[in-house]
Amino acid sequence: MVSGCILEVVGYVGRVQGWQNPFAQNPYLIQIVCLTIAPSFLAAGLYLTLSRIVTTFGPQNSRIAPLSYPRIFIPCDVFSLLLQAAGGGLASTASHSNKSPDVGDHILVAGIAFQVFTLLIFICLFADFAIRTIFRMRRLGREEALDPTHAKLRASWSFKAFLYALCLATVCIFVRSVYRVVELGEGWTGQLIRDQNTFIGLESTLVIVAVLSLNAFHPGYCFREGYEKPVPRNVKGSLWKKRGESSAEVETDSPVTDKALERGSGEDVGSQDPRDKETSNIIAADG
C-alpha cells in the first residue's frame, strides 16, 4: 500500500510538471509509468486480505486453502508488474531515441490486461466464497458452517465495515485497470489519453477512493478484536498494574496468600509455604 501510494505521488508530480511544460518528455514518461504500475501494489494488498477473511469465516467454505490465495495471486501480480515496468522502460528508451514506442506500449498494455484478468479471477473466487458461505449457513446453521474461533471478530462492526471497504476498493481498482487497458490500447495519440476529465474520473478518483477506504478501515485495526487475548477470569485489577499500586482482586475457589499475589502465580492455600501456615497458627493462638 505504501509503495503504491508513493508511486502515485511521483506520477502526479510528473503530471504537474508536464502541465507546466506540455512538450517535456521526461515528466510525461514519469507519469505514464508510475501511474500505470502503482495499482499493482494496491492489488497485492487485496490478495493478502482475502486469505485472512477465509480463515475468519472458515476454510471449509472455500474451494482452495487460505494460503493458496496469496501464493497464486501475488506471483501473478508480480508478473503483471514486471511486464508493465518493462513496457514502460522500453517505451521511454524508444522515445528518447526518437524511435517508435509501439513495442513498449504493447508490452505495457499486456501487463495491465494480465492484471485485469488476475483481478477478475480474484473477484470470481471472492464471490464464490461468499455464496458458498451463505448457502452453508442456511443449510447447516451458523454454528456448523462458520469457524467458532473467530465468532467475536465476525460480529464486530469494524470487521463488517472492512468487508464493504475491501469490496469497494476491489471494484475501483478493477474498473480503473479496464480503463487503462482501453486508454493505452488506443496508442499514445488516442482519444482517451487526451481526455483529462475521463482520466480524473476513471483513474484519479477511483484510486483515491480505493486507498482511502482501505486506510479508513485498515485490516490491522479491523482484525484486532479477533487476535486480542482475553483477560484471565481469576485475575483482575492490580495484577496487571505496576508494583506499589492497589492490590488485586482475585476470583478463585480458594483463598490466595499475599505472597502468592506478589509472585502473580495464583497459588492457593494448598501450595502455601508450611512456615507461613505455622506463623498463621501462632498468630491465631495469641489472639
Side-chain angles (χ1 to χ4, degrees):
M1 181 66 70
V2 174
S3 300
C5 291
I6 290 174
L7 286 173
E8 289 285 341
V9 172
V10 173
Y12 282 104
V13 168
R15 197 169 181 85
V16 170
Q17 291 178 348
W19 173 77
Q20 296 172 348
N21 183 8
F23 300 99
Q25 194 174 48
N26 286 336
Y28 179 76
L29 293 173
I30 288 174
Q31 64 98 10
I32 282 291
V33 174
C34 291
L35 295 181
T36 300
I37 68 175
S40 298
F41 292 92
L42 306 182
L46 304 179
Y47 304 147
L48 283 172
T49 54
L50 181 56
S51 65
R52 304 297 183 187
I53 293 173
V54 171
T55 302
T56 301
F57 281 93
Q60 66 275 11
N61 298 309
S62 176
R63 294 186 185 275
I64 60 178
L67 290 179
S68 297
Y69 289 98
R71 290 174 180 174
I72 293 173
F73 288 105
I74 289 185
C76 292
D77 195 57
V78 171
F79 179 70
S80 168
L81 178 63
L82 292 176
L83 283 178
Q84 295 176 52
L90 290 174
S92 175
T93 302
S95 298
H96 281 86
S97 304
N98 295 322
K99 297 179 181 179
S100 173
D102 290 345
V103 175
D105 181 39
H106 294 159
I107 296 176
L108 184 62
V109 173
I112 305 176
F114 187 75
Q115 182 183 32
V116 170
F117 174 74
T118 303
L119 277 169
L120 181 61
I121 299 300
F122 172 78
I123 292 173
C124 291
L125 286 176
F126 198 167
D128 176 74
F129 170 73
I131 293 172
R132 285 171 59 88
T133 301
I134 292 173
F135 275 100
R136 281 175 56 85
M137 287 172 57
R138 292 177 179 177
R139 187 173 70 253
L140 303 176
R142 298 180 65 91
E143 293 76 12
E144 293 293 331
L146 303 180
D147 184 1
T149 307
H150 302 95
K152 180 182 177 182
L153 175 60
R154 291 192 302 269
S156 65
W157 71 268
S158 57
F159 178 75
K160 295 177 182 178
F162 169 75
L163 294 179
Y164 288 108
L166 180 65
C167 293
L168 177 61
T170 303
V171 172
C172 287
I173 295 176
F174 179 77
V175 173
R176 172 264 168 201
S177 299
V178 172
Y179 159 71
R180 293 312 295 267
V181 170
V182 178
E183 178 202 31
L184 295 176
E186 293 181 350
W188 302 101
T189 58
Q191 179 63 32
L192 283 177
I193 205 169
R194 293 181 293 175
D195 190 340
Q196 182 71 9
N197 293 331
T198 304
F199 179 87
I200 292 174
L202 295 179
E203 165 70 33
S204 307
T205 303
L206 293 182
V207 171
I208 289 173
V209 171
V211 170
L212 290 180
S213 61
L214 290 178
N215 278 276
F217 301 98
H218 194 280
Y221 168 76
C222 295
F223 280 79
R224 183 177 59 186
E225 292 187 20
Y227 295 96
E228 287 180 343
K229 295 182 178 180
V231 178
R233 291 183 56 191
N234 65 326
V235 180
K236 291 183 179 180
S238 63
L239 282 182
W240 301 101
K241 298 180 182 179
K242 296 181 180 179
R243 289 186 177 183
E245 296 182 356
S246 60
S247 59
E249 296 179 6
V250 182
E251 296 179 355
T252 57
D253 295 335
S254 58
V256 180
T257 65
D258 292 339
K259 184 176 294 186
L261 282 174
E262 292 177 0
R263 291 194 297 265
S265 59
E267 295 176 326
D268 57 15
V269 174
S271 60
Q272 188 177 346
D273 193 326
R275 291 173 296 180
D276 293 337
K277 292 182 179 180
E278 183 179 352
T279 303
S280 300
N281 294 333
I282 294 176
I283 294 175
D286 290 343

